[in-house]
Amino acid sequence: MKKILITGGAGFIGSHLCKRLLDEGNEIICLDNFFTGSKENILDLMDNPFFEVVRHDVEEPILLEVDEIYNLACPASPIHYQFDPVKTIRTSVMGAINMLDIAKRCKAKILQASTSEVYGDPEVHPQNEEYRGNVNPIGIRACYDEGKRCAETLFFDYHREYNVDIKVIRIFNTYGPNMAINDGRVVSNFIIQALQNQDITIYGDGSQTRSFQYVDDLIDGMTKMMASSETGPINLGNPDEFTILELAKKVIQLTNSKSKIVFKPLPQDDPKQRKPDITKAKKALNWKPTVKLEEGLVKTIEYFNQQLKDKQ
Ligand code: NAD
Ligand code: UDP
């Protein structure tokens, strides 16, 4: 039985990871400050004696003895990471240092949940791991993008300087059950709007693209990465690319919604296109996503439908 620390474990991705690793027979410490995560996401796990919740902020050091660390603590939705940008940078940078210090002391393996945002508004398409990105360092997304870039730097410096066993994954847009109703990212926004027959809010003209990965595929990739001898960085995402307008239409169709599409201003530095090159993950991890957008959307719609009913 491995003892595994998951920071951000009460969040969207973290809660799925807690469940998977607990089901596989590990002991889990779920560390979270509950900024965007919630107890509801991990309620089902609370009765398990091998699941422990620690309310803590990764900005502060903490003494724990573990075999593996998945470092996910960080708000991921633009509205939440821009709410207190300085706090977001501190979370990424101080959080990385504090978790790397645990890994160094315990000789634990440590995986960093990095992001496709390190590529910024990319001039290379699709994005492979060699591309160094096009991030505006003083824009409103920089607190997240540069925080994550600095965390990657720290991971590689701890690896070179202290021989820490690191794994860096770059996650592309991921969606699924356990996203918060107020998350603010595109998939959950569109589904919630459609289920309530409210206007679907497209930012810009909807021609920007994203490639959406269902959360189960990501969890497979993350655990494969942890078990591998790779340091990364490795992209984990679904290369099927859609415009935001196509996504809106698909959600309306799958929910049989009466919603109309409305167009709102495009936020500053919003990337125009995004699609992962997953050649490296396929080769090194023998991993590729298997869930098609429509299939994943149906499951996510089911989840939000239930959530909305429970809240009535
Ligand atoms: P989320 O907001 O649902 O989860 C983040 C979790 O971290 C929440 O439970 C939150 O309460 C916790 N947290 C935030 N700041 C903290 C702090 N200072 N100390 C302790 N806990 C803190 O987002 P998510 O989509 O589950 O993202 C998880 C990780 O994956 C993040 O690091 C994010 O950057 C990364 N990621 C996600 C995506 C995606 O599409 N979902 C894409 C790229 C990268
Ligand atoms: N977006 C949108 N309507 C929304 C939320 C987001 O049109 O209600 C757009 C957003 O401007 C971006 C894309 O959808 O172009 C993906 O946004 P999200 O916040 O999900 O992720 P990110 O921009 O970080 O990839």
Side-chain angles (χ1 to χ4, degrees), residues 133-311:
N134 177 35
V135 172
N136 171 6
I138 57 168
I140 55 171
R141 294 174 81 98
C143 60
Y144 182 74
D145 302 6
E146 297 291 12
K148 288 284 188 178
R149 287 171 67 98
C150 183
E152 285 199 10
T153 308
L154 283 161
F155 268 67
F156 278 86
D157 281 337
Y158 269 69
H159 176 63
R160 282 185 287 257
E161 201 171 335
Y162 306 120
N163 210 20
V164 172
D165 192 352
I166 61 154
K167 278 102 197 12
V168 175
I169 54 166
R170 292 180 178 157
I171 304 170
F172 284 64
N173 296 66
T174 304
Y175 69 98
N178 293 8
M179 292 184 92
I181 284 191
N182 69 350
D183 181 274
R185 280 175 282 185
V186 69
V187 175
S188 49
N189 269 10
F190 284 4
I191 292 177
I192 290 157
Q193 289 163 342
L195 287 174
Q196 301 182 118
N197 294 314
Q198 292 169 353
D199 289 348
I200 304 264
T201 54
I202 289 188
Y203 305 156
D205 62 6
S207 63
Q208 71 271 37
T209 69
R210 293 293 185 274
S211 307
F212 299 102
Q213 159 173 247
Y214 189 65
V215 63
D216 288 357
D217 282 330
L218 172 64
I219 301 297
D220 288 343
M222 289 177 99
T223 51
K224 281 193 165 182
M225 181 67 176
M226 188 58 107
S228 78
S229 55
E230 301 292 323
T231 57
I234 289 189
N235 290 338
L236 292 180
N238 189 323
D240 293 345
E241 185 182 8
F242 297 88
T243 66
I244 295 303
L245 183 59
E246 283 170 332
L247 175 72
K249 288 181 177 164
K250 220 173 236 314
V251 170
I252 290 175
Q253 176 220 324
L254 292 174
T255 50
N256 277 324
S257 175
K258 297 188 184 63
S259 292
K260 290 194 301 292
I261 291 175
V262 298
F263 296 89
K264 303 261 175 188
L266 188 68
Q268 188 199 341
D269 293 336
D270 199 282
K272 282 182 277 308
Q273 52 180 1
R274 185 180 288 151
K275 170 183 167 137
D277 177 336
I278 56 164
T279 312
K280 205 169 161 184
K282 279 185 180 159
K283 229 192 240 158
L285 308 177
N286 191 24
W287 171 89
K288 65 173 191 316
T290 59
V291 182
K292 291 270 165 226
L293 179 63
E294 201 156 306
E295 190 189 334
L297 284 179
V298 167
K299 293 184 190 180
T300 312
I301 289 166
E302 233 172 74
Y303 170 79
F304 280 116
N305 210 356
Q306 193 56 50
Q307 288 289 106
L308 292 174
K309 276 189 192 140
D310 290 350
K311 292 223 162 6

Side-chain angles (χ1 to χ4, degrees), residues 76-124:
S77 163
I79 53 165
H80 294 296
Y81 71 64
Q82 287 165 19
F83 171 72
D84 184 350
V86 174
K87 170 79 187 167
T88 300
I89 302 179
R90 293 181 67 92
T91 293
S92 273
V93 176
M94 300 306 297
I97 291 173
N98 288 326
M99 295 309 119
L100 283 161
D101 280 340
I102 299 180
K104 180 178 164 223
R105 185 173 45 78
C106 300
K107 299 201 181 337
K109 291 201 270 188
I110 181 166
L111 179 144
Q112 168 66 0
S114 191
T115 168
S116 52
E117 286 290 322
V118 300
Y119 303 124
D121 188 6
E123 299 134 314
V124 166

Side-chain angles (χ1 to χ4, degrees), residues 11-13 32-33 35-37 57-58 72 144 148 174 185:
F12 156 51
I13 296 172
D32 209 293
N33 72 348
F35 173 46
T36 52
D57 194 307
V58 289
L72 274 64
Y144 182 74
K148 288 284 188 178
T174 304
R185 280 175 282 185

Side-chain angles (χ1 to χ4, degrees), residues 59-77:
E59 255 193 54
E60 302 296 331
I62 183 167
L63 269 182
L64 293 167
E65 307 297 323
V66 291
D67 304 305
E68 290 180 357
I69 304 169
Y70 288 83
N71 187 35
L72 274 64
C74 185
S77 163

